[in-house]
Amino acid sequence: MKILLKNGRLIDPIGEIDTVTDVLIVDGIIQKISQNLSVAKEDESIDLTGKIISPGFIDMHVHLREPGFEHKETIDSGSRAAASGGFTAVCCMPNTNPVIDDPSVIKWIQERSLIVEDGIVDVFPIAAITKGREGKVLAPMMELAEAGALAFSDDGSPVENAEVMRRALEYASMIDKPIIQHAEELSMAKGGVMNEGYISTLLGMQPIPSIAEGIMISRDLHISQYTKAQYHAAHISTAGSVELIRSAKKKNLRVSCEVTPHHFSLTDNAVRSFDTNTKMNPPLRSQEDVEAMKEGLRDGTIDVIATDHAPHSFDEKQVEYLYAPFGIVGLETAVGLAITELIHTNFLTPKQLIEKFSVNPRNILHLPRIKVQEGEVANFTILDLMQEWIVDIHHFLSKSKNSPFHGWKLKGKAIGIINKGKMKLFL
């Protein structure tokens, strides 16, 4: 493979590069970065005038559902959806069947990811904190890390027991892995289906109060400070959570967090439609919370944008709101929503967006940094900030189509990826 990327704006936050240039890639390796490069006629040359060449994006919070729930998603379909959305890597959460609490499941996922249709997307498993994700007994964390787990999470369920969380953080710190918490105080949130507030009262819906998230994060930050371990709060959604993380960072705690695109793009007002694709956990919050998410991204309190891609079949979502499962798909809309809601509204610069999608998640997960240098492996996401498009769930490559963004007009899109010596373009 010999590919010449012509006239693209190359942005690499780590190498402090922001320039219009050409990039020559030969057999998956960056051979030359310079202006006015050329290739033979039989080789491929792609004009990227007005487009951005970025280090490859990674989604550190994805539910691929396999093994056990292949009717919702598979590693193959999820990988293709990730590629379509502009991601060169994903991290799959452990709420599968069987749960990723045994090294054999990690090895199975790793082997399965190597035989998918095009194999361009890296798949990294995240293992369970506790056996069966039941919150009672720690999973064999050392063995799971040795098998390839990048982090530990019981996502979908919080670790409610404070002593179990303490021990998990202590063990994780021995092998320098982060603990990723689904922050939710279940005694306050159990049975709830949407954010507590005016809309939940109006609709007569069982609520999930915002403090259910903040109470759990506050507890965990105390434990993290005590253990000096690395803690990551998944899919934060409230202004209170942002403030807690901001304060913890000022104390130099080893803490990080992520936000999903739906939590900076939608409010609980969307639930008025009774569309079950507006049901997720944590729920859509208030306008004040949405503004706090954007401000947290702008000032660096929120480190990562992750999708919490949660596929469900049509039949599962086509029920009364109360009985529908939580979650939406996000891999194929995340980048478009982020560019539309954050860059074109001047909350983030392109460089900051790349940090949230590429640099920071890799740092948190202790993955090797992508080096945009001659002689290094090419791992790129290509962006068009100006492309306007309509979200159409019927064109999704994900097996499931449960998205509240169908019909939305977005400005900005990932139009290609390069990874593992392969290229996919969606021009």
Side-chain angles (χ1 to χ4, degrees):
M1 181 182 76
K2 184 179 282 188
I3 300 169
L4 179 60
L5 307 179
K6 290 283 293 180
N7 305 314
R9 180 183 173 190
L10 180 62
I11 301 179
D12 174 25
I14 295 175
E16 298 184 347
I17 299 170
D18 188 344
T19 186
V20 175
T21 189
D22 300 343
V23 180
L24 178 61
I25 302 167
V26 179
D27 295 330
I29 304 298
I30 302 171
Q31 188 174 88
K32 191 76 174 172
I33 301 174
S34 182
Q35 292 181 336
N36 303 316
L37 297 178
S38 61
V39 291
K41 287 183 180 179
E42 64 269 19
D43 296 317
E44 190 162 6
S45 179
I46 303 165
D47 185 8
L48 295 180
T49 300
K51 314 298 191 294
I52 290 175
I53 305 169
S54 159
F57 285 7
I58 179 172
D59 188 345
M60 66 177 288
H61 191 146
V62 171
H63 299 273
L64 293 182
R65 302 302 190 200
E66 190 177 19
F69 305 102
E70 289 83 357
H71 66 287
K72 302 172 187 271
E73 194 79 283
T74 63
I75 293 170
D76 181 78
S77 63
S79 295
R80 286 187 282 113
S84 175
F87 296 96
T88 64
V90 296
C91 299
C92 56
M93 285 294 177
N95 54 342
T96 49
N97 184 22
V99 172
I100 308 177
D101 60 2
D102 186 276
S104 63
V105 185
I106 289 181
K107 291 180 195 248
W108 186 89
I109 291 171
Q110 290 169 334
E111 291 170 1
R112 187 78 171 165
S113 71
L114 296 176
I115 59 171
V116 298
E117 186 176 317
D118 50 44
I120 193 171
V121 175
D122 294 308
V123 177
F124 300 112
I126 290 175
I129 296 172
T130 63
K131 290 182 178 180
R133 297 175 45 254
E134 295 177 350
K136 298 176 182 177
V137 179
L138 290 181
M141 298 172 71
M142 303 297 183
E143 291 89 342
L144 290 164
E146 289 174 0
L150 293 187
F152 300 94
S153 178
D154 276 1
D155 187 59
S157 304
V159 177
E160 289 190 272
N161 187 295
E163 179 63 12
V164 172
M165 176 56 86
R166 173 194 172 180
R167 297 305 178 194
L169 285 162
E170 288 176 338
Y171 277 104
S173 66
M174 294 179 193
I175 49 179
D176 202 24
K177 302 287 184 185
I179 291 291
I180 301 173
Q181 172 74 305
H182 172 111
E184 183 181 24
E185 172 48 63
L186 288 183
S187 65
M188 302 187 77
K190 203 163 186 179
V193 297
M194 69 170 295
N195 181 53
E196 183 173 72
Y198 172 74
I199 306 296
S200 66
T201 303
L202 183 71
L203 300 179
M205 295 277 204
Q206 183 73 17
I208 300 175
S210 60
I211 57 171
E213 179 175 294
I215 286 171
M216 185 62 79
I217 289 178
S218 180
R219 182 206 75 173
D220 289 347
L221 290 174
H222 282 292
I223 302 172
S224 177
Q225 184 174 21
Y226 186 79
T227 60
K228 298 180 173 57
Q230 184 183 356
Y231 173 82
H232 180 84
H235 47 48
I236 68 168
S237 65
T238 74
S241 297
V242 175
E243 191 52 47
L244 285 167
I245 300 292
R246 185 178 286 123
S247 177
K249 288 190 171 187
K250 288 178 181 176
K251 296 176 184 177
N252 294 318
L253 270 63
R254 296 184 66 197
V255 58
S256 57
C257 64
E258 68 192 43
V259 66
T260 71
H262 47 275
H263 285 119
F264 61 68
S265 301
L266 288 168
T267 70
D268 56 358
N269 193 57
V271 182
R272 286 174 181 260
S273 67
F274 292 101
D275 179 0
T276 57
N277 291 322
T278 65
K279 183 180 179 182
M280 60 278 293
N281 191 6
L284 298 175
R285 302 289 188 181
S286 69
Q287 184 62 42
E288 177 189 0
D289 293 314
V290 168
E291 291 169 3
M293 296 304 110
K294 292 181 176 180
E295 189 56 42
L297 284 163
R298 191 204 317 252
D299 69 16
T301 300
I302 300 176
D303 307 88
V304 172
I305 298 172
T307 66
D308 191 13
H309 176 80
H312 294 292
S313 70
F314 176 81
D315 291 343
E316 288 169 317
K317 278 288 194 178
Q318 199 66 16
V319 294
E320 294 92 337
Y321 204 94
L322 180 64
Y323 302 110
F326 292 105
I328 64 170
V329 291
L331 283 168
E332 293 168 88
T333 54
V335 174
L337 286 165
I339 295 172
T340 302
E341 298 289 333
L342 302 174
I343 287 186
H344 289 303
T345 56
N346 297 315
F347 276 96
L348 295 183
T349 65
K351 176 188 173 186
Q352 288 173 315
L353 188 82
I354 291 166
E355 288 172 339
K356 310 293 185 186
F357 272 119
S358 179
V359 178
N360 293 348
R362 285 182 171 272
N363 286 344
I364 290 165
L365 297 168
H366 307 291
L367 282 168
R369 294 179 174 180
I370 296 172
K371 295 179 181 178
V372 184
Q373 299 172 2
E374 293 173 4
E376 297 291 340
V377 174
N379 187 335
F380 291 121
T381 294
I382 303 170
L383 305 172
D384 184 346
L385 300 187
M386 305 308 293
Q387 180 172 328
E388 295 185 349
W389 59 291
I390 305 294
V391 177
D392 186 345
I393 60 172
H394 303 103
H395 293 160
F396 282 1
L397 298 184
S398 173
K399 220 171 178 183
S400 296
K401 318 297 179 187
N402 50 308
S403 170
F405 299 111
H406 178 64
W408 276 44
K409 184 177 181 179
L410 302 180
K411 186 176 183 179
K413 200 173 193 295
I415 59 171
I417 61 171
I418 297 172
N419 187 37
K420 299 165 76 171
K422 302 173 183 178
M423 176 176 68
K424 288 187 79 73
L425 292 177
F426 307 96
L427 297 172

